[in-house]
PDB file of all heavy atoms in Angstrom:
ATOM      1  N   TYR R   1     112.111  92.873 108.682  1.00 96.00           N
ATOM      2  CA  TYR R   1     111.887  91.943 107.572  1.00 96.00           C
ATOM      3  C   TYR R   1     111.227  92.678 106.441  1.00 96.00           C
ATOM      4  O   TYR R   1     110.367  93.506 106.712  1.00 96.00           O
ATOM      5  CB  TYR R   1     111.055  90.787 108.017  1.00 96.00           C
ATOM      6  CG  TYR R   1     110.395  90.029 106.794  1.00 96.00           C
ATOM      7  CD1 TYR R   1     111.067  89.030 106.201  1.00 96.00           C
ATOM      8  CD2 TYR R   1     109.116  90.384 106.367  1.00 96.00           C
ATOM      9  CE1 TYR R   1     110.553  88.395 105.119  1.00 96.00           C
ATOM     10  CE2 TYR R   1     108.578  89.731 105.262  1.00 96.00           C
ATOM     11  CZ  TYR R   1     109.367  88.754 104.666  1.00 96.00           C
ATOM     12  OH  TYR R   1     108.779  88.087 103.531  1.00 96.00           O
ATOM     13  N   TYR R   2     111.569  92.339 105.233  1.00 97.00           N
ATOM     14  CA  TYR R   2     110.923  92.915 104.004  1.00 97.00           C
ATOM     15  C   TYR R   2     110.612  91.879 103.024  1.00 97.00           C
ATOM     16  O   TYR R   2     111.354  90.923 102.807  1.00 97.00           O
ATOM     17  CB  TYR R   2     111.827  93.965 103.348  1.00 97.00           C
ATOM     18  CG  TYR R   2     112.168  95.125 104.178  1.00 97.00           C
ATOM     19  CD1 TYR R   2     113.345  95.235 104.917  1.00 97.00           C
ATOM     20  CD2 TYR R   2     111.253  96.209 104.278  1.00 97.00           C
ATOM     21  CE1 TYR R   2     113.658  96.364 105.716  1.00 97.00           C
ATOM     22  CE2 TYR R   2     111.562  97.330 105.045  1.00 97.00           C
ATOM     23  CZ  TYR R   2     112.784  97.359 105.723  1.00 97.00           C
ATOM     24  OH  TYR R   2     113.063  98.467 106.537  1.00 97.00           O
ATOM     25  N   ALA R   3     109.393  91.929 102.461  1.00 96.00           N
ATOM     26  CA  ALA R   3     109.071  91.137 101.248  1.00 96.00           C
ATOM     27  C   ALA R   3     110.063  91.515 100.179  1.00 96.00           C
ATOM     28  O   ALA R   3     110.476  92.661 100.013  1.00 96.00           O
ATOM     29  CB  ALA R   3     107.657  91.308 100.904  1.00 96.00           C
ATOM     30  N   ASP R   4     110.429  90.517  99.365  1.00 96.00           N
ATOM     31  CA  ASP R   4     111.323  90.732  98.276  1.00 96.00           C
ATOM     32  C   ASP R   4     110.815  91.832  97.325  1.00 96.00           C
ATOM     33  O   ASP R   4     111.686  92.555  96.795  1.00 96.00           O
ATOM     34  CB  ASP R   4     111.534  89.443  97.455  1.00 96.00           C
ATOM     35  CG  ASP R   4     112.349  88.431  98.215  1.00 96.00           C
ATOM     36  OD1 ASP R   4     113.045  88.730  99.216  1.00 96.00           O
ATOM     37  OD2 ASP R   4     112.298  87.219  97.802  1.00 96.00           O
ATOM     38  N   SER R   5     109.567  91.927  97.169  1.00 96.00           N
ATOM     39  CA  SER R   5     109.024  92.885  96.191  1.00 96.00           C
ATOM     40  C   SER R   5     109.234  94.375  96.625  1.00 96.00           C
ATOM     41  O   SER R   5     109.112  95.261  95.802  1.00 96.00           O
ATOM     42  CB  SER R   5     107.583  92.598  96.014  1.00 96.00           C
ATOM     43  OG  SER R   5     106.770  92.790  97.229  1.00 96.00           O
ATOM     44  N   VAL R   6     109.489  94.595  97.892  1.00 97.00           N
ATOM     45  CA  VAL R   6     109.628  95.983  98.337  1.00 97.00           C
ATOM     46  C   VAL R   6     111.054  96.306  98.885  1.00 97.00           C
ATOM     47  O   VAL R   6     111.290  97.458  99.186  1.00 97.00           O
ATOM     48  CB  VAL R   6     108.619  96.298  99.459  1.00 97.00           C
ATOM     49  CG1 VAL R   6     107.171  96.008  98.963  1.00 97.00           C
ATOM     50  CG2 VAL R   6     108.921  95.590 100.722  1.00 97.00           C
ATOM     51  N   LYS R   7     111.932  95.343  98.850  1.00 97.00           N
ATOM     52  CA  LYS R   7     113.270  95.599  99.323  1.00 97.00           C
ATOM     53  C   LYS R   7     113.972  96.689  98.517  1.00 97.00           C
ATOM     54  O   LYS R   7     113.881  96.755  97.278  1.00 97.00           O
ATOM     55  CB  LYS R   7     114.175  94.303  99.298  1.00 97.00           C
ATOM     56  CG  LYS R   7     113.771  93.299 100.354  1.00 97.00           C
ATOM     57  CD  LYS R   7     114.676  92.037 100.226  1.00 97.00           C
ATOM     58  CE  LYS R   7     114.340  91.091 101.361  1.00 97.00           C
ATOM     59  NZ  LYS R   7     115.058  89.831 101.178  1.00 97.00           N
ATOM     60  N   GLY R   8     114.609  97.592  99.225  1.00 97.00           N
ATOM     61  CA  GLY R   8     115.249  98.726  98.579  1.00 97.00           C
ATOM     62  C   GLY R   8     114.352  99.926  98.311  1.00 97.00           C
ATOM     63  O   GLY R   8     114.850 101.010  97.987  1.00 97.00           O
ATOM     64  N   ARG R   9     113.043  99.722  98.457  1.00 98.00           N
ATOM     65  CA  ARG R   9     112.091 100.845  98.211  1.00 98.00           C
ATOM     66  C   ARG R   9     111.351 101.194  99.496  1.00 98.00           C
ATOM     67  O   ARG R   9     111.009 102.388  99.729  1.00 98.00           O
ATOM     68  CB  ARG R   9     111.116 100.432  97.120  1.00 98.00           C
ATOM     69  CG  ARG R   9     111.744 100.279  95.750  1.00 98.00           C
ATOM     70  CD  ARG R   9     110.690 100.091  94.703  1.00 98.00           C
ATOM     71  NE  ARG R   9     109.895  98.920  94.959  1.00 98.00           N
ATOM     72  CZ  ARG R   9     108.542  98.893  95.229  1.00 98.00           C
ATOM     73  NH1 ARG R   9     107.846 100.034  95.250  1.00 98.00           N
ATOM     74  NH2 ARG R   9     107.915  97.765  95.382  1.00 98.00           N
ATOM     75  N   PHE R  10     111.029 100.223 100.311  1.00 98.00           N
ATOM     76  CA  PHE R  10     110.264 100.486 101.563  1.00 98.00           C
ATOM     77  C   PHE R  10     111.178 100.335 102.753  1.00 98.00           C
ATOM     78  O   PHE R  10     112.122  99.551 102.776  1.00 98.00           O
ATOM     79  CB  PHE R  10     109.131  99.482 101.706  1.00 98.00           C
ATOM     80  CG  PHE R  10     107.963  99.568 100.742  1.00 98.00           C
ATOM     81  CD1 PHE R  10     108.104 100.446  99.611  1.00 98.00           C
ATOM     82  CD2 PHE R  10     106.848  98.918 100.948  1.00 98.00           C
ATOM     83  CE1 PHE R  10     107.049 100.540  98.733  1.00 98.00           C
ATOM     84  CE2 PHE R  10     105.777  99.070 100.075  1.00 98.00           C
ATOM     85  CZ  PHE R  10     105.854  99.846  98.993  1.00 98.00           C
ATOM     86  N   THR R  11     110.876 101.104 103.766  1.00 98.00           N
ATOM     87  CA  THR R  11     111.601 101.038 105.036  1.00 98.00           C
ATOM     88  C   THR R  11     110.664 101.007 106.197  1.00 98.00           C
ATOM     89  O   THR R  11     109.791 101.928 106.306  1.00 98.00           O
ATOM     90  CB  THR R  11     112.624 102.227 105.189  1.00 98.00           C
ATOM     91  OG1 THR R  11     113.466 102.221 104.083  1.00 98.00           O
ATOM     92  CG2 THR R  11     113.395 102.100 106.466  1.00 98.00           C
ATOM     93  N   ILE R  12     110.756 100.025 106.997  1.00 98.00           N
ATOM     94  CA  ILE R  12     109.981  99.982 108.297  1.00 98.00           C
ATOM     95  C   ILE R  12     110.850 100.377 109.425  1.00 98.00           C
ATOM     96  O   ILE R  12     112.000 100.084 109.498  1.00 98.00           O
ATOM     97  CB  ILE R  12     109.351  98.580 108.519  1.00 98.00           C
ATOM     98  CG1 ILE R  12     108.337  98.606 109.623  1.00 98.00           C
ATOM     99  CG2 ILE R  12     110.407  97.531 108.687  1.00 98.00           C
ATOM    100  CD1 ILE R  12     107.515  97.330 109.779  1.00 98.00           C
ATOM    101  N   SER R  13     110.267 101.204 110.397  1.00 97.00           N
ATOM    102  CA  SER R  13     111.071 101.649 111.456  1.00 97.00           C
ATOM    103  C   SER R  13     110.108 101.930 112.662  1.00 97.00           C
ATOM    104  O   SER R  13     108.899 102.011 112.515  1.00 97.00           O
ATOM    105  CB  SER R  13     111.801 102.959 111.149  1.00 97.00           C
ATOM    106  OG  SER R  13     110.921 103.950 110.732  1.00 97.00           O
ATOM    107  N   GLN R  14     110.684 102.105 113.818  1.00 95.00           N
ATOM    108  CA  GLN R  14     109.916 102.511 114.960  1.00 95.00           C
ATOM    109  C   GLN R  14     110.627 103.715 115.651  1.00 95.00           C
ATOM    110  O   GLN R  14     111.791 103.856 115.517  1.00 95.00           O
ATOM    111  CB  GLN R  14     109.806 101.320 115.905  1.00 95.00           C
ATOM    112  CG  GLN R  14     111.102 100.738 116.488  1.00 95.00           C
ATOM    113  CD  GLN R  14     110.929  99.432 117.284  1.00 95.00           C
ATOM    114  OE1 GLN R  14     109.770  99.008 117.468  1.00 95.00           O
ATOM    115  NE2 GLN R  14     112.025  98.909 117.820  1.00 95.00           N
ATOM    116  N   ASP R  15     109.845 104.559 116.244  1.00 89.00           N
ATOM    117  CA  ASP R  15     110.418 105.758 116.824  1.00 89.00           C
ATOM    118  C   ASP R  15     110.958 105.476 118.244  1.00 89.00           C
ATOM    119  O   ASP R  15     110.885 104.352 118.702  1.00 89.00           O
ATOM    120  CB  ASP R  15     109.382 106.891 116.874  1.00 89.00           C
ATOM    121  CG  ASP R  15     108.212 106.703 117.770  1.00 89.00           C
ATOM    122  OD1 ASP R  15     108.290 105.825 118.706  1.00 89.00           O
ATOM    123  OD2 ASP R  15     107.206 107.392 117.640  1.00 89.00           O
ATOM    124  N   ASN R  16     111.608 106.465 118.760  1.00 62.00           N
ATOM    125  CA  ASN R  16     112.279 106.294 120.112  1.00 62.00           C
ATOM    126  C   ASN R  16     111.365 105.880 121.268  1.00 62.00           C
ATOM    127  O   ASN R  16     111.908 105.198 122.143  1.00 62.00           O
ATOM    128  CB  ASN R  16     113.016 107.584 120.455  1.00 62.00           C
ATOM    129  CG  ASN R  16     114.216 107.869 119.560  1.00 62.00           C
ATOM    130  OD1 ASN R  16     114.721 107.028 118.920  1.00 62.00           O
ATOM    131  ND2 ASN R  16     114.581 109.174 119.422  1.00 62.00           N
ATOM    132  N   THR R  17     110.112 106.257 121.170  1.00 73.00           N
ATOM    133  CA  THR R  17     109.198 105.878 122.218  1.00 73.00           C
ATOM    134  C   THR R  17     108.638 104.502 122.047  1.00 73.00           C
ATOM    135  O   THR R  17     107.969 104.013 122.893  1.00 73.00           O
ATOM    136  CB  THR R  17     108.082 106.905 122.320  1.00 73.00           C
ATOM    137  OG1 THR R  17     107.273 106.824 121.058  1.00 73.00           O
ATOM    138  CG2 THR R  17     108.526 108.286 122.480  1.00 73.00           C
ATOM    139  N   LYS R  18     108.881 103.930 120.865  1.00 69.00           N
ATOM    140  CA  LYS R  18     108.491 102.522 120.547  1.00 69.00           C
ATOM    141  C   LYS R  18     106.987 102.397 120.475  1.00 69.00           C
ATOM    142  O   LYS R  18     106.438 101.285 120.563  1.00 69.00           O
ATOM    143  CB  LYS R  18     109.017 101.621 121.593  1.00 69.00           C
ATOM    144  CG  LYS R  18     110.482 101.620 121.816  1.00 69.00           C
ATOM    145  CD  LYS R  18     111.309 101.000 120.704  1.00 69.00           C
ATOM    146  CE  LYS R  18     112.747 101.060 121.010  1.00 69.00           C
ATOM    147  NZ  LYS R  18     113.535 100.034 120.428  1.00 69.00           N
ATOM    148  N   ASN R  19     106.267 103.502 120.269  1.00 89.00           N
ATOM    149  CA  ASN R  19     104.828 103.440 120.153  1.00 89.00           C
ATOM    150  C   ASN R  19     104.255 103.742 118.808  1.00 89.00           C
ATOM    151  O   ASN R  19     103.109 103.642 118.543  1.00 89.00           O
ATOM    152  CB  ASN R  19     104.102 104.348 121.221  1.00 89.00           C
ATOM    153  CG  ASN R  19     104.353 105.789 120.965  1.00 89.00           C
ATOM    154  OD1 ASN R  19     105.204 106.167 120.163  1.00 89.00           O
ATOM    155  ND2 ASN R  19     103.587 106.663 121.611  1.00 89.00           N
ATOM    156  N   THR R  20     105.181 103.996 117.873  1.00 94.00           N
ATOM    157  CA  THR R  20     104.740 104.248 116.501  1.00 94.00           C
ATOM    158  C   THR R  20     105.681 103.497 115.547  1.00 94.00           C
ATOM    159  O   THR R  20     106.905 103.580 115.691  1.00 94.00           O
ATOM    160  CB  THR R  20     104.772 105.731 116.094  1.00 94.00           C
ATOM    161  OG1 THR R  20     103.909 106.451 116.993  1.00 94.00           O
ATOM    162  CG2 THR R  20     104.368 105.951 114.685  1.00 94.00           C
ATOM    163  N   VAL R  21     105.059 102.770 114.641  1.00 96.00           N
ATOM    164  CA  VAL R  21     105.837 102.059 113.585  1.00 96.00           C
ATOM    165  C   VAL R  21     105.551 102.754 112.245  1.00 96.00           C
ATOM    166  O   VAL R  21     104.398 103.099 111.914  1.00 96.00           O
ATOM    167  CB  VAL R  21     105.416 100.600 113.488  1.00 96.00           C
ATOM    168  CG1 VAL R  21     106.088  99.903 112.315  1.00 96.00           C
ATOM    169  CG2 VAL R  21     105.803  99.908 114.778  1.00 96.00           C
ATOM    170  N   TRP R  22     106.543 103.102 111.482  1.00 97.00           N
ATOM    171  CA  TRP R  22     106.475 103.747 110.263  1.00 97.00           C
ATOM    172  C   TRP R  22     106.772 102.814 109.083  1.00 97.00           C
ATOM    173  O   TRP R  22     107.565 101.915 109.181  1.00 97.00           O
ATOM    174  CB  TRP R  22     107.485 104.908 110.209  1.00 97.00           C
ATOM    175  CG  TRP R  22     107.265 105.951 111.284  1.00 97.00           C
ATOM    176  CD1 TRP R  22     107.906 105.902 112.539  1.00 97.00           C
ATOM    177  CD2 TRP R  22     106.475 107.049 111.256  1.00 97.00           C
ATOM    178  NE1 TRP R  22     107.516 106.995 113.263  1.00 97.00           N
ATOM    179  CE2 TRP R  22     106.616 107.705 112.491  1.00 97.00           C
ATOM    180  CE3 TRP R  22     105.587 107.649 110.384  1.00 97.00           C
ATOM    181  CZ2 TRP R  22     105.949 108.903 112.837  1.00 97.00           C
ATOM    182  CZ3 TRP R  22     104.947 108.797 110.701  1.00 97.00           C
ATOM    183  CH2 TRP R  22     105.093 109.408 111.923  1.00 97.00           C
ATOM    184  N   LEU R  23     106.099 103.102 107.956  1.00 98.00           N
ATOM    185  CA  LEU R  23     106.454 102.455 106.695  1.00 98.00           C
ATOM    186  C   LEU R  23     106.659 103.470 105.677  1.00 98.00           C
ATOM    187  O   LEU R  23     105.723 104.126 105.220  1.00 98.00           O
ATOM    188  CB  LEU R  23     105.392 101.448 106.255  1.00 98.00           C
ATOM    189  CG  LEU R  23     105.699 100.678 105.035  1.00 98.00           C
ATOM    190  CD1 LEU R  23     106.812  99.651 105.327  1.00 98.00           C
ATOM    191  CD2 LEU R  23     104.424  99.877 104.478  1.00 98.00           C
ATOM    192  N   GLN R  24     107.956 103.754 105.338  1.00 98.00           N
ATOM    193  CA  GLN R  24     108.228 104.675 104.262  1.00 98.00           C
ATOM    194  C   GLN R  24     108.196 103.951 103.007  1.00 98.00           C
ATOM    195  O   GLN R  24     108.926 102.934 102.813  1.00 98.00           O
ATOM    196  CB  GLN R  24     109.631 105.315 104.551  1.00 98.00           C
ATOM    197  CG  GLN R  24     110.086 106.225 103.412  1.00 98.00           C
ATOM    198  CD  GLN R  24     109.311 107.474 103.348  1.00 98.00           C
ATOM    199  OE1 GLN R  24     109.009 108.084 104.348  1.00 98.00           O
ATOM    200  NE2 GLN R  24     108.850 107.851 102.086  1.00 98.00           N
ATOM    201  N   MET R  25     107.438 104.341 102.036  1.00 98.00           N
ATOM    202  CA  MET R  25     107.264 103.718 100.741  1.00 98.00           C
ATOM    203  C   MET R  25     107.741 104.618  99.632  1.00 98.00           C
ATOM    204  O   MET R  25     107.110 105.701  99.470  1.00 98.00           O
ATOM    205  CB  MET R  25     105.794 103.261 100.540  1.00 98.00           C
ATOM    206  CG  MET R  25     105.229 102.420 101.694  1.00 98.00           C
ATOM    207  SD  MET R  25     103.590 101.825 101.313  1.00 98.00           S
ATOM    208  CE  MET R  25     102.691 103.401 101.188  1.00 98.00           C
ATOM    209  N   ASN R  26     108.749 104.187  98.960  1.00 98.00           N
ATOM    210  CA  ASN R  26     109.317 104.982  97.828  1.00 98.00           C
ATOM    211  C   ASN R  26     109.118 104.205  96.565  1.00 98.00           C
ATOM    212  O   ASN R  26     109.005 102.996  96.583  1.00 98.00           O
ATOM    213  CB  ASN R  26     110.773 105.329  98.037  1.00 98.00           C
ATOM    214  CG  ASN R  26     110.987 106.143  99.316  1.00 98.00           C
ATOM    215  OD1 ASN R  26     110.205 106.976  99.664  1.00 98.00           O
ATOM    216  ND2 ASN R  26     112.135 105.938  99.931  1.00 98.00           N
ATOM    217  N   GLY R  27     109.131 104.945  95.453  1.00 98.00           N
ATOM    218  CA  GLY R  27     109.016 104.267  94.140  1.00 98.00           C
ATOM    219  C   GLY R  27     107.811 103.469  93.948  1.00 98.00           C
ATOM    220  O   GLY R  27     107.840 102.334  93.470  1.00 98.00           O
ATOM    221  N   LEU R  28     106.713 103.980  94.374  1.00 98.00           N
ATOM    222  CA  LEU R  28     105.443 103.209  94.367  1.00 98.00           C
ATOM    223  C   LEU R  28     104.985 102.916  92.967  1.00 98.00           C
ATOM    224  O   LEU R  28     105.134 103.689  92.040  1.00 98.00           O
ATOM    225  CB  LEU R  28     104.325 104.003  95.140  1.00 98.00           C
ATOM    226  CG  LEU R  28     104.462 103.894  96.644  1.00 98.00           C
ATOM    227  CD1 LEU R  28     103.641 105.049  97.285  1.00 98.00           C
ATOM    228  CD2 LEU R  28     104.051 102.580  97.160  1.00 98.00           C
ATOM    229  N   LYS R  29     104.367 101.789  92.862  1.00 98.00           N
ATOM    230  CA  LYS R  29     103.895 101.240  91.582  1.00 98.00           C
ATOM    231  C   LYS R  29     102.377 101.093  91.555  1.00 98.00           C
ATOM    232  O   LYS R  29     101.768 100.858  92.622  1.00 98.00           O
ATOM    233  CB  LYS R  29     104.530  99.817  91.305  1.00 98.00           C
ATOM    234  CG  LYS R  29     106.039  99.854  91.419  1.00 98.00           C
ATOM    235  CD  LYS R  29     106.605  98.393  91.351  1.00 98.00           C
ATOM    236  CE  LYS R  29     108.109  98.392  91.433  1.00 98.00           C
ATOM    237  NZ  LYS R  29     108.668  97.025  91.426  1.00 98.00           N
ATOM    238  N   PRO R  30     101.717 101.137  90.424  1.00 97.00           N
ATOM    239  CA  PRO R  30     100.299 101.082  90.415  1.00 97.00           C
ATOM    240  C   PRO R  30      99.790  99.770  91.026  1.00 97.00           C
ATOM    241  O   PRO R  30      98.708  99.746  91.611  1.00 97.00           O
ATOM    242  CB  PRO R  30      99.976 101.177  88.910  1.00 97.00           C
ATOM    243  CG  PRO R  30     101.067 101.966  88.347  1.00 97.00           C
ATOM    244  CD  PRO R  30     102.278 101.618  89.106  1.00 97.00           C
ATOM    245  N   GLU R  31     100.482  98.682  90.820  1.00 96.00           N
ATOM    246  CA  GLU R  31     100.028  97.388  91.350  1.00 96.00           C
ATOM    247  C   GLU R  31     100.098  97.348  92.925  1.00 96.00           C
ATOM    248  O   GLU R  31      99.602  96.401  93.485  1.00 96.00           O
ATOM    249  CB  GLU R  31     100.807  96.231  90.777  1.00 96.00           C
ATOM    250  CG  GLU R  31     102.295  96.293  90.968  1.00 96.00           C
ATOM    251  CD  GLU R  31     103.062  96.931  89.771  1.00 96.00           C
ATOM    252  OE1 GLU R  31     102.533  97.848  89.155  1.00 96.00           O
ATOM    253  OE2 GLU R  31     104.201  96.548  89.585  1.00 96.00           O
ATOM    254  N   GLU R  32     100.728  98.368  93.475  1.00 97.00           N
ATOM    255  CA  GLU R  32     100.705  98.411  94.891  1.00 97.00           C
ATOM    256  C   GLU R  32      99.604  99.264  95.545  1.00 97.00           C
ATOM    257  O   GLU R  32      99.559  99.467  96.754  1.00 97.00           O
ATOM    258  CB  GLU R  32     102.101  98.987  95.363  1.00 97.00           C
ATOM    259  CG  GLU R  32     103.226  98.037  95.015  1.00 97.00           C
ATOM    260  CD  GLU R  32     104.611  98.624  95.265  1.00 97.00           C
ATOM    261  OE1 GLU R  32     104.946  99.771  95.071  1.00 97.00           O
ATOM    262  OE2 GLU R  32     105.400  97.813  95.838  1.00 97.00           O
ATOM    263  N   THR R  33      98.679  99.578  94.648  1.00 97.00           N
ATOM    264  CA  THR R  33      97.393 100.205  95.132  1.00 97.00           C
ATOM    265  C   THR R  33      96.692  99.176  96.027  1.00 97.00           C
ATOM    266  O   THR R  33      96.349  98.060  95.550  1.00 97.00           O
ATOM    267  CB  THR R  33      96.513 100.669  94.025  1.00 97.00           C
ATOM    268  OG1 THR R  33      97.195 101.704  93.288  1.00 97.00           O
ATOM    269  CG2 THR R  33      95.152 101.111  94.509  1.00 97.00           C
ATOM    270  N   SER R  34      96.487  99.516  97.196  1.00 98.00           N
ATOM    271  CA  SER R  34      95.911  98.561  98.192  1.00 98.00           C
ATOM    272  C   SER R  34      95.447  99.243  99.405  1.00 98.00           C
ATOM    273  O   SER R  34      95.830 100.415  99.672  1.00 98.00           O
ATOM    274  CB  SER R  34      96.919  97.495  98.638  1.00 98.00           C
ATOM    275  OG  SER R  34      97.365  96.682  97.521  1.00 98.00           O
TER     276      SER R  34
END
């Protein structure tokens, strides 16, 4: 699932061992400072 504001820029995934979840964030904006 993705919030509308990040669709197309962020990708969430899990690795093969299923013990790590990644969030790849591209095209970051200043308002996303958090």
Side-chain angles (χ1 to χ4, degrees):
Y1 161 85
Y2 297 96
D4 288 343
S5 62
V6 306
K7 286 180 179 176
R9 296 187 298 116
F10 290 14
T11 303
I12 189 170
S13 61
Q14 59 188 2
D15 68 16
N16 291 336
T17 64
K18 308 283 183 152
N19 66 347
T20 301
V21 175
W22 303 91
L23 184 68
Q24 177 67 46
M25 306 186 296
N26 298 327
L28 284 162
K29 306 172 182 179
E31 59 265 34
E32 293 175 317
T33 293
S34 297

